[in-house]
Amino acid sequence: MFEGRRIQAQLLKGTLPLLVLATLRDTELHGYEIVKRIREQSSGTFAPSEGSLYPVLHRLETEGALEATWRAGDGGPRRRYYRLTRAGLTALERAEREWSTFAGGVRRVAFEGPSDA
Amino acid sequence: MFEGRRIQAQLLKGTLPLLVLATLRDTELHGYEIVKRIREQSSGTFAPSEGSLYPVLHRLETEGALEATWRAGDGGPRRRYYRLTRAGLTALERAEREWSTFAGGVRRVAFEGPSDA
DNA sequence: CATGCCTACCTCGCTTTCCGAGGTAACGGT
DNA sequence: ACCGTTACCTCGGAAAGCGAGGTAGGCATG
């Protein structure tokens, strides 16, 4: 199904919050759906496990970046819908900047020779 | 000194081998010098500590990606110079591809909305 | 009515990898 | 002879993803 090769686990470290916050930028979603979106958007490159996702959601909620509400499941168990708070939007913007800095650094070191600075 | 804000440690996870291999693409260098290059090339974004670097160097050497030789120090202790092997070049290329896949995935999820797929 | 399956949530222990602190060795200057 | 600097190495702790496993409610099936 998802042929995109999975990425070394270590690389993903630290990016999950960014991915989650970005996924919730315009919609509110519940956990399973968040994983699904991330997997689809990344063409299967990322497939965070539940053991990774839920702790992150809880941490972001504790930090005030996300708000959550329980809703009755549509023919299934209840779901917890998460949405971005104002603080969450700020956190998202910060995470985006941080990612850009990070990715830019890797590009300079790894893809631009020492001479073409 | 290096004003570029340091990056959250977690983000760096898994990228050090790439940075090291790339730094050694055209030259042979010793440990301290590798750190220095990475720091300069990334404008201070990355400043891997010795506790991070040496284990990585040893692992890459064990895996056959690097070869190393001791040389007398020029007014200082002896140094261990590392250079890329043929296998190391292959590893570098693989790490570059992996990084590209990874960065592309983050871009799609975090920076491109769900609509502009 | 009871059993079992599916969805969705949550938790636990393991592993990997980075960091800071601290330790060793060789050389030069005083 | 001693100390400071350079460069190497190691160790313990912390962060975060992963897989496995566990709970609960609703539905279909016997």
Side-chain angles (χ1 to χ4, degrees):
Chain A
M1 293 304 126
F2 286 107
E3 69 314 309
R5 48 289 281 151
R6 283 283 262 38
I7 274 296
Q8 223 189 18
Q10 294 302 327
L11 268 185
L12 194 51
K13 292 272 173 89
T15 58
L16 241 197
L18 166 61
L19 300 180
V20 168
L21 291 171
T23 302
L24 293 171
R25 193 194 315 259
D26 314 302
T27 1
E28 58 179 7
L29 297 169
H30 59 99
Y32 250 52
E33 189 65 17
I34 293 174
V35 170
K36 208 171 132 198
R37 296 279 180 106
I38 290 178
R39 200 175 41 202
E40 288 170 359
Q41 285 280 307
S42 70
S43 315
T45 302
F46 309 133
S49 72
E50 301 180 35
S52 314
L53 180 74
Y54 289 111
V56 167
L57 286 175
H58 299 158
R59 212 189 68 214
L60 290 173
E61 188 183 1
T62 299
E63 292 172 1
L66 299 181
E67 269 175 0
T69 52
W70 285 107
R71 306 253 181 94
D74 175 34
R78 73 218 196 292
R79 296 160 165 174
R80 193 154 171 80
Y81 280 84
Y82 290 89
R83 86 175 149 283
L84 227 57
T85 62
R86 191 160 287 274
L89 184 59
T90 305
L92 170 56
E93 285 162 358
R94 195 152 64 84
E96 287 177 334
R97 270 193 310 268
E98 197 167 37
W99 167 260
S100 296
T101 300
F102 173 62
V106 172
R107 176 186 313 279
R108 285 200 300 282
V109 175
F111 294 93
E112 297 171 9
S115 38
D116 35 328
Chain B
M1 305 299 147
F2 284 107
E3 69 316 310
R5 49 289 282 150
R6 283 281 264 40
I7 273 298
Q8 225 188 22
Q10 294 304 325
L11 267 185
L12 195 52
K13 293 271 173 88
T15 58
L16 242 197
L18 166 61
L19 299 180
V20 168
L21 291 171
T23 301
L24 293 172
R25 193 194 315 259
D26 316 300
T27 2
E28 59 179 3
L29 298 168
H30 59 99
Y32 250 52
E33 189 64 17
I34 293 174
V35 170
K36 208 170 134 200
R37 296 279 180 107
I38 290 178
R39 201 174 43 202
E40 287 170 0
Q41 284 281 305
S42 69
S43 316
T45 302
F46 308 133
S49 73
E50 301 179 34
S52 314
L53 181 74
Y54 288 111
V56 167
L57 286 175
H58 299 158
R59 213 190 66 213
L60 290 173
E61 188 183 1
T62 300
E63 293 171 2
L66 299 181
E67 269 174 0
T69 51
W70 285 107
R71 305 251 180 95
D74 175 33
R78 73 218 198 291
R79 297 161 164 174
R80 192 153 171 81
Y81 281 84
Y82 290 89
R83 85 177 150 280
L84 227 57
T85 62
R86 190 160 288 274
L89 184 59
T90 305
L92 170 57
E93 285 162 358
R94 194 152 65 85
E96 286 177 335
R97 259 179 284 141
E98 196 167 38
W99 167 261
S100 296
T101 300
F102 174 61
V106 172
R107 175 183 314 279
R108 285 199 300 281
V109 174
F111 294 93
E112 296 172 8
S115 39
D116 33 327

